[in-house]
């Protein structure tokens, strides 16, 4: 005879089930209701540094008894909420905002008399919205007009739109944006190069995306066509250099399609943002956001484009269900990037790129806490403090996939990976779901490709497994011999082959001498190869970092670099190195005091922590 569960047991079961799948960084009860479409009608006010208007959410009700809609917000001023009645009229709904949580913001709880198909939230953003950087004309290249851009990942979309701010929920969206005359508006949607903005700038994203891929940019922006389905946008003074640097974009799209199937987002456009953009790139669908630091003049840093393009399959098409599973986005994308680079530029360049990537991963293990070195953790997704290190998962995840590829062979692994993208297209996935797919489609028939113990080690243990095969480039091996002799003083600086090295070789060389070369040796490098004035920001960053640690004075060029570049990858380690040197602390504080307003809020928050500033 079956035993009936008590009400408390049923409630406990429901809560346990939700905890196993819920995103702890979101207030949204997406087990009850999910957003299927979002419409934004907003006006950009550069004087007040706000976006204001309303968001209209189309809802798919799952729990037929639910009568509350919970949305994520952060610093949004909510004016009113309306619901669409069955008779077609909009009427007011009561709402409340929870107490502020510093990390998550406030839950917006909307009480509903029934389950409406649509809800409108009228609101205004704060000038300090975490996702938005409002730039004065003086901070732009022309100095004539202001600029604004967003960065929604990880959970900052809620600072400019009331949404279910979790990658577990995907929705289509459309928008109408009013902006001052003379400024172009772009979004992660179908941007029309011929649009004028009369009647507002209008957009539509027909493919469902998670909230962190909501993106907007407004400024003095021009466009150049790159190919039949690609273009680049940038400030007028940068547009020609950007178009030249990105000339291989169509080749990259074709290379990725040959490996992993059709590009499903129709167009692949890019915008090169002002230098304060905090990341190398952000894979906003249909409009990748890029740092200008990738413009080297010789296309030597375009692996960044390959990476953001690769996200069109891994991340945008198949998305981590929560940030606990972020390696499914970034580890996969880093693997795919190398495959695209190999297709376009050949195996020699790809192998060099891979070796540098793996070496930097091994070095990072010295500073990443052991508790954050696993790709994922078992159990419910409840504690964001246990998530893997955001930088390590890129190379470690790629290394894991490459290990399986090497053992299975590409003729087996490539269809396997394409199948993952095809079968999970426009869905959110977890590590458990990938393991299930991996076993069903590969390891059950071929357990020799990766025994269970080794699989667990890759996914859930710290470090890099001893079984991992390291990339070995003959060109970098030859360079290593020169480096070793140079560090010992056996090879004069003038006899280094640096004038013939490509960017990857310089990056490898500078990584290897960091903390080992003397101030005199860094000075000789600078005099022989002009490294302090290089136009390649990856090389410049490594040279400045090595110089600070060696005690070689590069304050003049470093000051210019820190004042003009806001990419976190560069500025955070540089300030960190300066703060460790007693003689540089005060100088670093003075530079940051001037540079801070030029950085995006994301970068400001990171550097503020280094300087222990409370703002």
């Amino acid at each position: 005879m079956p035993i009936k569960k008590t009400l408390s047991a049923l409630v406990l079961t429901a809560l346990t089930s939700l905890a196993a799948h819920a995103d702890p960084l979101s207030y949204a009860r997406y087990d009850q209701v999910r957003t299927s479409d979002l419409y934004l009608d907003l006006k950009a006010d550069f004087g007040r540094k706000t976006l204001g208007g309303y968001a209209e959410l189309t809802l798919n009700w799952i729990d037929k008894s639910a009568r509350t809609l919970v949305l994520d917000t952060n610093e949004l001023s909510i004016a009113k909420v309306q619901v669409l009645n069955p008779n077609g009229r909009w009427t007011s709904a009561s709402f409340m905002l929870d107490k502020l949580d510093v990390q998550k913001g406030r839950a917006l709880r909307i009480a509903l008399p029934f389950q409406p198909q649509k809800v409108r939230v009228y609101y205004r953003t704060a000038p300090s919205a975490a996702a938005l950087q409002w730039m004065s004309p003086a901070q732009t290249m022309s100095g004539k007009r202001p600029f604004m851009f967003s960065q929604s990942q990880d959970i900052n979309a809620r600072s400019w739109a009331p949404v279910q701010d979790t990658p577990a929920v995907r929705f289509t969206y459309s928008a109408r944006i009013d902006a001052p005359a003379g400024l172009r508006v772009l979004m992660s949607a179908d941007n029309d190069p011929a649009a004028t903005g009369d009647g507002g700038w209008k957009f539509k994203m027909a493919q469902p995306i998670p909230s962190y891929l909501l993106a907007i940019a407004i400024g003095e922006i021009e466009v150049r066509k790159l190919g039949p389905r690609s273009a680049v946008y940038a400030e007028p003074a940068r547009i020609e250099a950007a178009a030249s640097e990105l000339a291989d974009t169509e080749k990259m799209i074709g290379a990725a399609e040959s490996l992993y199937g059709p590009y499903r987002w129709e167009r692949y456009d890019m915008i090169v943002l002002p230098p304060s953009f905090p990341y190398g790139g952000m894979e906003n669908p249909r409009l990748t956001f890029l740092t200008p630091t990738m413009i080297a003049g010789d296309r030597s840093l375009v692996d960044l484009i390959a990476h953001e393009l690769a996200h069109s399959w891994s991340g945008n098409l198949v998305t981590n269900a929560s940030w606990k599973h972020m390696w499914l986005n970034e580890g996969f994308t880093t693997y795919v990037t190398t495959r695209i680079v190999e297709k376009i530029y050949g195996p020699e360049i790809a192998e060099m790129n891979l070796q540098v990537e793996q070496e930097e991963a091994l070095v990072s293990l010295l500073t990443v806490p052991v508790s954050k070195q696993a790709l994922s953790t078992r159990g419910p997704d409840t504690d964001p403090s246990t998530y893997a290190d955001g930088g390590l998962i890129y190379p470690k995840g790629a290394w894991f996939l490459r290990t399986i590829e090497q053992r299975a062979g590409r003729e087996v692994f490539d269809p396997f990976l394409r199948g993952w993208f095809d079968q999970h297209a426009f869905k959110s996935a977890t590590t458990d779901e990938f393991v299930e797919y991996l076993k069903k489609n590969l390891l059950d028939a071929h357990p020799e490709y990766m025994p269970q113990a080794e699989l667990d080690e890759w996914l859930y243990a710290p470090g890099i497994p001893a079984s991992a095969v390291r990339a070995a480039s003959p060109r970098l091996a030859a360079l290593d011999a020169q480096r070793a002799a140079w560090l010992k003083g056996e090879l004069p600086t003038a006899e280094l082959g640096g004038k013939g090295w490509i960017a990857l070789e310089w990056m490898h060389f500078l990584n290897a001498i960091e903390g080992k070369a003397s101030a005199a040796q860094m000075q000789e490098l600078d005099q022989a190869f002009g490294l302090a004035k290089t136009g390649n920001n990856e090389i410049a960053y490594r040279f400045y970092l090595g110089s600070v640690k060696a005690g070689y004075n590069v304050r003049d060029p470093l000051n210019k670099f820190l004042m003009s570049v806001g990419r976190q990858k560069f500025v955070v380690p540089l300030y960190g190195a300066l703060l460790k040197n007693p003689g540089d602390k005060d100088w670093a504080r003075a530079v940051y005091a001037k540079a801070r307003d030029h950085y995006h809020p994301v970068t400001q928050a990171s550097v503020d922590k280094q300087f222990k500033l409370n703002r």
Side-chain angles (χ1 to χ4, degrees), residues 150-153 212-213 215 277 279-285 287-291 308 311 316:
S150 66
Q151 174 54 40
S152 295
Q153 192 180 9
Y212 76 89
L213 295 178
F277 181 57
Y279 302 118
M282 180 61 211
E283 63 273 16
N284 301 310
L287 189 69
T288 284
F289 281 22
L290 293 172
T291 171
E308 304 310 329
H311 269 302
N316 296 5

Side-chain angles (χ1 to χ4, degrees), residues 27 36 158 311 432 599:
Y27 294 108
S36 60
R158 66 190 69 180
H311 269 302
D432 286 346
Y599 296 158

Side-chain angles (χ1 to χ4, degrees), residues 53-93:
Y54 69 88
E56 180 179 302
L57 297 88
T58 301
L59 305 172
N60 176 26
W61 291 92
I62 300 166
D63 181 346
K64 301 306 179 185
S65 65
R67 291 295 183 270
T68 303
L69 172 64
V70 185
L71 301 176
D72 294 303
T73 76
N74 194 5
E75 290 195 288
L76 298 184
S77 297
I78 310 298
K80 63 179 178 180
V81 176
Q82 294 183 328
V83 298
L84 181 63
N85 287 272
N87 62 9
R89 293 184 178 181
W90 291 91
T91 56
S92 296

Side-chain angles (χ1 to χ4, degrees), residues 508-528:
H508 175 74
F509 179 85
L510 292 170
N511 283 342
I513 67 171
E514 181 187 317
K516 299 176 183 178
S518 67
Q521 286 176 313
M522 298 304 291
Q523 182 178 17
E524 288 180 10
L525 282 179
D526 192 13
Q527 291 173 343

Side-chain angles (χ1 to χ4, degrees), residues 95-162:
F95 66 90
M96 64 172 288
L97 285 165
D98 282 4
K99 182 180 179 181
L100 174 67
D101 179 278
V102 175
Q103 182 181 31
K104 295 167 60 176
R106 300 177 190 268
L108 170 62
R109 301 184 186 276
I110 304 170
L112 302 166
F114 59 98
Q115 294 187 334
Q117 182 187 12
K118 294 179 184 291
V119 169
R120 281 182 179 174
V121 180
Y122 290 79
Y123 69 98
R124 185 178 70 253
T125 64
S128 56
L132 307 178
Q133 181 172 18
W134 298 86
M135 305 177 70
S136 68
Q139 292 174 292
T140 66
M141 293 188 76
S142 72
K144 297 178 181 177
R145 293 186 174 92
F147 203 108
M148 183 273 277
F149 64 88
S150 66
Q151 174 54 40
S152 295
Q153 192 180 9
D154 297 347
I155 60 168
N156 287 334
R158 66 190 69 180
S159 72
W160 67 284

Side-chain angles (χ1 to χ4, degrees), residues 219-436:
E220 186 181 13
I221 300 168
E222 291 190 5
V223 60
R224 292 290 183 275
K225 181 179 179 181
L226 297 174
R229 51 182 169 171
S230 60
V232 61
Y233 295 84
E235 292 179 86
R238 185 171 277 127
I239 190 66
E240 298 302 337
S244 175
E245 201 79 5
L246 302 173
D248 289 336
T249 299
E250 283 289 340
K251 293 180 183 177
M252 289 188 177
I253 300 173
E257 286 185 316
S258 71
L259 292 166
Y260 306 116
Y263 178 77
R264 307 191 197 201
W265 304 88
E266 297 174 47
R267 288 192 59 82
Y268 184 75
D269 295 333
M270 296 161 284
I271 177 172
V272 179
L273 291 166
S276 59
F277 181 57
Y279 302 118
M282 180 61 211
E283 63 273 16
N284 301 310
R286 293 176 178 254
L287 189 69
T288 284
F289 281 22
L290 293 172
T291 171
T293 64
M294 52 74 57
I295 299 178
D298 57 4
R299 303 178 192 169
S300 59
L301 302 179
V302 291
D303 62 310
L304 174 64
I305 312 305
H307 182 92
E308 304 310 329
L309 171 64
H311 269 302
S312 300
W313 285 263
S314 48
N316 296 5
L317 188 64
V318 185
T319 305
N320 48 226
S322 81
W323 299 112
K324 170 183 175 178
H325 308 285
M326 189 177 177
W327 79 276
L328 293 175
N329 278 23
E330 300 298 353
F332 277 60
T333 294
T334 304
Y335 170 82
V336 172
T337 299
T338 300
R339 297 296 305 277
I340 295 174
V341 168
E342 181 180 319
K343 273 271 187 183
I344 300 296
Y345 303 109
E348 184 180 48
I349 298 298
E351 190 76 4
M352 294 171 67
N353 193 72
L354 193 59
Q355 183 176 332
V356 171
E357 172 188 299
Q358 292 178 353
E359 288 171 345
E360 292 182 349
L362 293 170
V363 170
S364 75
L365 295 177
L366 301 175
T367 55
V368 174
V370 172
S371 62
K372 290 182 173 292
Q373 291 181 9
L375 288 176
S376 188
T377 56
R378 291 188 171 98
D381 186 3
T382 56
D383 186 1
S385 69
T386 65
Y387 291 177
D389 178 77
L392 180 60
I393 57 174
Y394 288 68
K396 184 176 180 179
W399 210 335
F400 164 57
L401 295 175
R402 179 176 168 84
T403 299
I404 303 175
E405 174 227 294
Q406 289 173 321
R407 296 175 185 178
R410 289 184 173 179
E411 67 280 358
V412 172
F413 188 75
D414 286 355
F416 161 84
L417 191 55
R418 175 171 176 172
W420 168 254
F421 298 141
D422 288 343
Q423 293 181 34
H424 298 80
F426 299 107
K427 297 178 182 177
S428 299
T430 66
T431 300
D432 286 346
E433 287 172 317
F434 175 71
V435 170
E436 180 182 358

